[in-house]
Structure formats: structure tokens, C-alpha cells
């Protein structure tokens, strides 16, 4: 009898979650996932568009930062900021679900930090002190991605809705690979550092896209807990 009662309570909680968090009849997590997935497409589109807008630009030998500091930089900055907004949508979902335990909180904090970090990477030169030779923090912001990305990839597989998904193993392998591959960027010859930087960027974009798809595919919360 107690098991039936608990099942009824759980079902009632699921129903309340869906009914109270909808936008035009669509579950909020699915909307957040859709925004995040769209943001991934936009940041890629903005980058590729810049290859043709900036005369003489070579995406293999020249980095993304060179686009952000050159002509039409607003388009590159816009794409990155949109990607930040999409990533923040995933963080919002984590807060809405309210899952308890240190792992969910670690992922939430890491998600917020990486959003702030990437936004500052895109906007610091434009909204900094504007004085040539002023405070240079770009390299430190980039370095902060080194621990944040694997934290999110590894521990993100322990929280809803990614838990026990078919991509969990891939995410953990990617987290380990990131720790080995990311530092290589700083010792690469300049003739290919643009290509390699985009490879690392695609890892982050791919992770956000997969997480976004999970929200679209499975917007209803699962009450199973893992701490």
C-alpha cells in the first residue's frame, strides 16, 4: 500500500512540474534545450560567416580571437554571447530541477562560471578599460576553461537529465581527453593553431548540443537521486 502511495505522489509531482513550467504548452526544459541547441548553431554560423567577411582571413592558421579583435568583430562577439545564453539555459534547468547533493551543485556552479568566463573572453576587449597596454586577462580567462570543461563533462553525467544516458561514457572519455589535448594548443605552430582552437571549441559546443538534445528529448524530471 505504501509503495502505491509513493508512486501516486511521484506521479503527481511529475504532473505538477509539467503543468506549472510550460511555455505555450511546451515543457520549459524543452524550451531551454531548444534555445541552447539553436545557440550552438548560431555560434558556428557566425564563425564561418566571418571567414568570408574578413579579407585574407585563414581559419586554419588564424585564431578566433583575431576575428574578435578585427573588422566586423561584433558578429563574432554576438555569436559567442548567444552561445553563452544557450549554455546558461542549461544551467537554469539544473537550478529548476533542484536536485540535491554536492555533484549537482558543483555542476551548477561550474556552468555559471563557464558562462561568465566565455562572455568575458568575448567582451572584455570591447568593454574593458580601453587603454592600450592595460590589464590583460584574456589568457587567464582561457586558462579557466581548462578545469571547468572537464568538471562539467565528468560530473554532468551524474545529474539529471544526463544520468545513465548513452553519452555518459563518451562525456567522461572526452573530459579526460580534454585535459591532455587542451594544453597542446599553446605549443602548436602558428600555421595550424586556428584549426586546433576550433577543434577544442567544437568539443564545448558539441557537449552543449548533446545536453540540449537531452532536454528536448527528455524534459520530464526523473526522481531517481544520485549523490
Amino acid at each position: 500500500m505504501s509503495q502505491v502511495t509513493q508512486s501516486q505522489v511521484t506521479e503527481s509531482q511529475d504532473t505538477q512540474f509539467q503543468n506549472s513550467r510550460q511555455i505555450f504548452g511546451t515543457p520549459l526544459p524543452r524550451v531551454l534545450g531548444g534555445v541552447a541547441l539553436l545557440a550552438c548553431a548560431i555560434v558556428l554560423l557566425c564563425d564561418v560567416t566571418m571567414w568570408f567577411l574578413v579579407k585574407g582571413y585563414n581559419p586554419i592558421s588564424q585564431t578566433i580571437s583575431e576575428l574578435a579583435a578585427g573588422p566586423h568583430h561584433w558578429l563574432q562577439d554576438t555569436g559567442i554571447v548567444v552561445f553563452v545564453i544557450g549554455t546558461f539555459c542549461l544551467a537554469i534547468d539544473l537550478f529548476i530541477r533542484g536536485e540535491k547533493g554536492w555533484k549537482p551543485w558543483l555542476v551548477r556552479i561550474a556552468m555559471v562560471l563557464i558562462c561568465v568566463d566565455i562572455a568575458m573572453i568575448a567582451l572584455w576587449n570591447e568593454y574593458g578599460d580601453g587603454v592600450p597596454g592595460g590589464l590583460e586577462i584574456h589568457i587567464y580567462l582561457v586558462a579557466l576553461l581548462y578545469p571547468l570543461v572537464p568538471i562539467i563533462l565528468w560530473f554532468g553525467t551524474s545529474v539529471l537529465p544526463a544520468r545513465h544516458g548513452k553519452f555518459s561514457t563518451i562525456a567522461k572519455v572526452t573530459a579526460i581527453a580534454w585535459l591532455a589535448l587542451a594544453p597542446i594548443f599553446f605549443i602548436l605552430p602558428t600555421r595550424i593553431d586556428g584549426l586546433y582552437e576550433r577543434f577544442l571549441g567544437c568539443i564545448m559546443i558539441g557537449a552543449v548540443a548533446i545536453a540540449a538534445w537531452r532536454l528536448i528529448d527528455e524534459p520530464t524530471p526523473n526522481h531517481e537521486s544520485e549523490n
Side-chain angles (χ1 to χ4, degrees), residues 91-109:
I92 291 174
D93 178 74
L94 292 176
F95 280 101
I96 289 176
R97 290 177 185 269
E99 192 175 3
K100 298 179 181 179
W102 67 271
K103 288 181 183 179
W105 274 108
L106 178 62
V107 176
R108 290 182 191 117
I109 292 171

Side-chain angles (χ1 to χ4, degrees), residues 1-154:
M1 183 66 179
S2 58
Q3 292 180 347
V4 174
T5 302
Q6 181 61 42
S7 175
Q8 291 175 338
V9 170
T10 300
E11 183 179 352
S12 175
Q13 290 173 335
D14 285 341
T15 302
Q16 290 176 7
F17 184 92
Q18 295 180 50
N19 292 339
S20 62
R21 294 180 173 89
Q22 292 190 356
I23 297 180
F24 300 112
T26 302
L28 179 56
R30 183 167 286 164
V31 174
L32 294 173
V35 173
L37 194 60
L38 179 62
C40 292
I42 289 176
V43 69
L44 290 173
L45 179 61
C46 287
D47 183 52
V48 173
T49 301
M50 289 288 286
W51 302 355
F52 302 96
L53 282 180
V54 179
K55 185 177 180 180
Y57 181 79
N58 187 334
I60 296 177
S61 61
Q62 294 178 273
T63 64
I64 298 170
S65 298
E66 292 180 62
L67 286 178
H72 311 291
H73 63 84
W74 63 268
L75 180 59
Q76 189 74 16
D77 290 342
T78 298
I80 296 174
V81 170
V82 169
F83 176 69
V84 168
I85 293 172
T87 304
F88 191 67
C89 284
L90 301 183
I92 291 174
D93 178 74
L94 292 176
F95 280 101
I96 289 176
R97 290 177 185 269
E99 192 175 3
K100 298 179 181 179
W102 67 271
K103 288 181 183 179
W105 274 108
L106 178 62
V107 176
R108 290 182 191 117
I109 292 171
M111 289 287 288
V112 171
L113 285 177
I114 205 168
C115 288
V116 173
D117 186 56
I118 296 175
M120 290 188 68
I121 288 174
L123 301 176
W124 175 258
N125 289 335
E126 183 176 354
Y127 294 103
D129 55 19
V131 180
L135 181 62
E136 175 56 59
I137 63 172
H138 181 81
I139 188 65
Y140 302 108
L141 296 173
V142 172
L144 186 57
L145 294 175
Y146 183 67
L148 288 177
V149 170
I151 286 174
I152 294 171
L153 285 171
W154 186 276

